[in-house]
């Protein structure tokens, strides 16, 4: 894939992340997060939903809570009362900005937990989808072996477009993970299947060796 295309997707990801962290309110994120959690419960059942939440909470605690990421961010970006008093003549400088910064940090922490929960949901779907992954790889390999024994040619065009399909699907996957609105949990297996199909197609069209 061309560098211009990679820059395009990178810019889209940055714009989406910037939108979520600068304009979306924490209340909206929590509301959408609850909607998504309810959708997971209704789609996958109570036991699977509890497993997803438990795994996400453990990851979030280990990565964000125990290192005190939230406290570190607040200490770094928001001056304490003591620091403001020590800044003679500048005590009120930036005062209207601190509530907004505090709000954005809360938004970041809520969105981080949401991402961990979606990663946990992905893990839950990878187990039943692992068989299809193996099947797609084997199918692509056998189709390539068949082409090596007859006069069928590997298609460079199909190989190129299958690579592009994998990259685009992967980028959409990442964008879905940081999207600040509720998504259906059924989207995850559809994206996984799309990646598998593109992977199998790319393997089957790898150039033959003489």
């Amino acid at each position: 894939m061309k560098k211009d295309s990679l820059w395009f997707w990178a810019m889209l990801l940055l714009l989406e992340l910037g939108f979520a962290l600068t304009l979306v309110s924490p209340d909206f994120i929590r509301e959408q997060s609850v909607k998504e959690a309810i959708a997971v419960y209704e789609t996958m059942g109570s036991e699977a939903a509890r497993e997803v939440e438990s795994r996400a909470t453990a990851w979030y605690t280990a990565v964000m809570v125990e290192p005190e990421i939230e406290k570190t961010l607040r200490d770094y970006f928001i001056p304490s009362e003591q620091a403001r008093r020590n800044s003679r003549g500048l005590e009120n400088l930036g005062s209207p900005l601190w509530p907004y910064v505090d709000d954005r940090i809360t938004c970041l922490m809520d969105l981080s937990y949401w991402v961990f929960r979606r990663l946990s949901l992905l893990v839950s779907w990878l187990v039943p989808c692992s068989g299809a992954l193996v099947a797609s790889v084997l199918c692509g390999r056998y189709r390539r072996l068949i082409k090596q024994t007859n006069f069928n040619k590997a298609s460079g065009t199909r190989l190129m477009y299958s690579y592009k399909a994998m990259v685009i699907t992967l980028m959409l996957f990442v964008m879905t993970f940081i999207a600040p609105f509720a998504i259906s949990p059924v989207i995850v297996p559809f994206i996984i299947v799309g990646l598998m199909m593109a992977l199998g197609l790319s393997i089957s069209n790898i150039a033959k060796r003489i």
Side-chain angles (χ1 to χ4, degrees):
M1 183 162 285
K2 296 181 180 179
K3 291 184 178 180
D4 292 343
S5 299
L6 292 176
W7 275 111
F8 170 76
W9 286 106
M11 288 301 297
L12 278 183
L13 290 174
L14 288 176
L15 286 173
E16 182 183 23
L17 187 60
F19 170 77
L21 295 179
T22 57
L23 299 177
V24 180
S25 69
D27 290 339
F28 178 81
I29 288 181
R30 295 190 190 106
E31 178 185 344
Q32 294 297 306
S33 179
V34 170
K35 286 184 179 180
E36 187 171 302
I38 293 174
V40 172
Y41 179 88
E42 294 175 347
T43 303
M44 304 180 66
S46 59
E47 184 176 349
R50 283 195 295 269
E51 182 180 347
V52 169
E53 290 285 347
S54 176
R55 189 163 46 229
T57 301
W59 292 346
Y60 179 80
T61 301
V63 177
M64 305 296 289
V65 177
E66 291 179 356
E68 298 184 337
I69 299 297
E70 184 174 8
K71 181 180 182 300
T72 301
L73 290 173
R74 295 186 190 282
D75 291 343
Y76 184 81
F77 288 105
I78 303 176
S80 63
E81 290 296 332
Q82 181 64 37
R84 294 178 194 178
R85 286 195 295 268
N86 293 337
S87 301
R88 295 182 179 179
L90 301 175
E91 296 88 345
N92 297 321
L93 182 65
S95 295
L97 185 63
W98 307 137
Y100 173 80
V101 174
D102 183 79
D103 201 49
R104 294 304 92 199
I105 293 174
T106 301
C107 179
L108 173 63
M109 300 302 294
D110 291 342
L111 189 61
S112 297
Y113 178 78
W114 205 353
V115 170
F116 281 116
R117 194 172 66 191
R118 285 171 172 171
L119 284 173
S120 179
L121 178 63
L122 172 62
V123 171
S124 297
W125 279 114
L126 281 178
V127 176
C129 289
S130 58
L133 173 61
V134 175
S136 66
V137 172
L138 291 177
C139 181
R141 181 174 180 272
Y142 288 139
R143 290 180 66 181
R144 181 173 182 267
L145 290 174
I146 291 172
K147 290 179 181 180
Q148 288 179 321
T149 59
N150 56 30
F151 294 100
N152 288 336
K153 294 182 179 180
S155 173
T157 302
R158 290 182 180 178
L159 180 63
M160 179 185 66
Y161 280 108
S162 63
Y163 282 156
K164 287 185 176 181
M166 282 193 293
V167 173
I168 291 173
T169 305
L170 186 61
M171 291 298 183
L172 290 175
F173 207 5
V174 175
M175 292 181 69
T176 300
F177 264 55
I178 62 174
F181 51 82
I183 61 171
S184 172
V186 181
I187 291 178
V188 177
F190 275 108
I191 295 178
I192 294 175
V193 169
L195 282 170
M196 292 176 182
M197 292 176 62
L199 178 61
L201 183 61
S202 64
I203 292 174
S204 67
N205 284 283
I206 295 176
K208 297 186 290 184
R209 295 179 181 178
I210 300 176

